[in-house]
Amino acid sequence: MITVTAATGRLGRLVVAELLQRGMPADQITAAVRSPQKATDLAELGVQVRHADYTEPHTLAPAFAGADQLLLIPSAEYGRRFPQMKNAVDAAVDAQVPLIAYTGFVNTPTSTLRLADEHKQAEAYIRQSGIPFVFLRNGGYTELYTGELGDLAPALDSSVMYGCGADGKVSGASRADLAAAAAAVLTGQGHAGSVHGAGSTGRVYELGGTPFTLADVAAEISRQAGKPLVYQDLPVDQYAQALAAQGVPQAFADLLADTSLAVTRGDWFTPSTDLEQLLGRPATALADVVAAQLKAL
């Protein structure tokens, strides 16, 4: 039995789809979700749907019961992620789950990202839980750089794409590739760790694709859209102000600016080939992600 949390989210749904595509029987997949009514389509496929709310600890252990492997996908609630993951890990211990796979950020131990702090805490808590683990450290979603947040059309209209990543490199990966890598780990052999002393050990995968700069993104969008688009680097405070001026809440704008600035520090770059090895093929190219994004406009 494989249990996937946040299974109605973008990544979670793709993981469930990948598991089914790989031949995993639907009744051996559990979608642990906050709102079961949003998972009726999964239930119709034969997937078990169980209520699991990270903020309601009593819902978690029953949702994880019988799981041979548990994929923990954190929520998007900054500042609440670690308390939620602590609840989930405690529930996994209570449910005697044999393996936790956790999706965090690439370069978690050394990352300077504000958003990485809770991933560091979660990884440390999992290590001391006594449950063998796999850390799936995901590179930045390429879609976020190619306009998934709704900033592609305005950028094309103004012919300028803003950021504060300078010429730093991003080992971006498509969300679908990262879901496929997770499914490969969950259905494969040799990925589990072991218990030792008061803690546990596990495998760590740094999952990034072919590196690109923000200028590369602008150039590829320009090429495919047939419109001029250049990348303009801004100081981090000015970029945050520009995002806020576009209607992004200030706190979120500050986080997005910090995420972009982290590119200059190498936080989103990895030389690892783990992603390609798990996929058994090259990672999806930037050009293909751009093409899909433009098609969705």
Side-chain angles (χ1 to χ4, degrees):
M1 177 70 70
I2 295 175
T3 297
V4 179
T5 66
T8 53
R10 290 181 177 180
L11 180 61
R13 281 189 177 278
L14 289 172
V15 173
V16 171
E18 280 286 340
L19 291 173
L20 292 170
Q21 187 172 334
R22 288 170 179 268
M24 187 78 182
D27 62 359
Q28 292 181 26
I29 303 171
T30 296
V33 297
R34 181 169 57 183
S35 302
Q37 65 272 21
K38 294 181 179 180
T40 54
D41 58 320
L42 298 179
E44 290 171 357
L45 294 174
V47 173
Q48 296 189 44
V49 175
R50 297 180 184 175
H51 180 217
D53 189 324
Y54 290 144
T55 65
E56 299 178 11
H58 67 277
T59 67
L60 299 175
F64 300 164
D68 297 302
Q69 300 178 81
L70 171 65
L71 177 64
L72 279 182
I73 301 175
S75 76
E77 298 176 277
Y78 174 68
R80 302 182 66 188
R81 280 174 169 167
F82 176 63
Q84 291 176 354
M85 289 301 94
K86 183 178 181 296
N87 289 340
V89 174
D90 289 344
V93 172
D94 291 343
Q96 299 182 331
V97 173
L99 177 72
I100 290 176
Y102 176 77
T103 61
F105 283 173
V106 71
N107 301 319
T108 291
T110 59
S111 180
T112 64
L113 273 162
R114 288 166 55 190
L115 284 173
D117 290 343
E118 289 181 294
H119 289 308
K120 294 177 184 180
Q121 293 175 289
E123 286 194 2
Y125 199 73
I126 292 169
R127 285 183 186 275
Q128 63 88 40
S129 71
I131 299 179
F133 61 83
V134 179
F135 291 154
L136 301 168
R137 293 177 179 160
N138 291 342
Y141 295 145
T142 305
E143 292 91 340
L144 295 179
Y145 294 94
T146 59
E148 187 179 70
L149 293 177
D151 51 355
L152 180 53
L156 285 170
D157 289 341
S158 66
S159 301
V160 180
M161 186 180 84
Y162 295 103
C164 53
D167 58 356
K169 293 184 177 180
V170 177
S171 299
S174 72
R175 194 178 276 105
D177 278 359
L178 294 171
V185 167
L186 294 169
T187 58
Q189 300 294 322
H191 301 290
S194 60
V195 179
H196 69 96
S200 54
T201 63
R203 296 289 298 272
V204 177
Y205 294 104
E206 301 284 351
L207 304 174
T210 302
F212 53 78
T213 66
L214 300 185
D216 291 335
V217 175
E220 183 58 34
I221 293 173
S222 177
R223 184 186 71 82
Q224 293 196 35
K227 296 181 178 180
L229 182 65
V230 296
Y231 172 68
Q232 182 173 331
D233 205 63
L234 298 175
V236 64
D237 56 340
Q238 290 185 25
Y239 182 46
Q241 291 170 11
L243 290 170
Q246 295 172 9
V248 178
Q250 188 64 59
F252 188 45
D254 291 340
L255 281 176
L256 289 177
D258 178 73
T259 300
S260 184
L261 183 64
V263 174
T264 68
R265 300 188 289 256
D267 289 337
W268 289 113
F269 172 78
T270 177
S272 171
T273 59
D274 288 347
L275 180 59
E276 289 191 356
Q277 291 177 13
L278 288 173
L279 295 176
R281 58 169 173 79
T284 301
L286 171 64
D288 293 332
V289 178
V290 168
Q293 206 70 47
L294 288 171
K295 185 177 181 180
L297 282 181

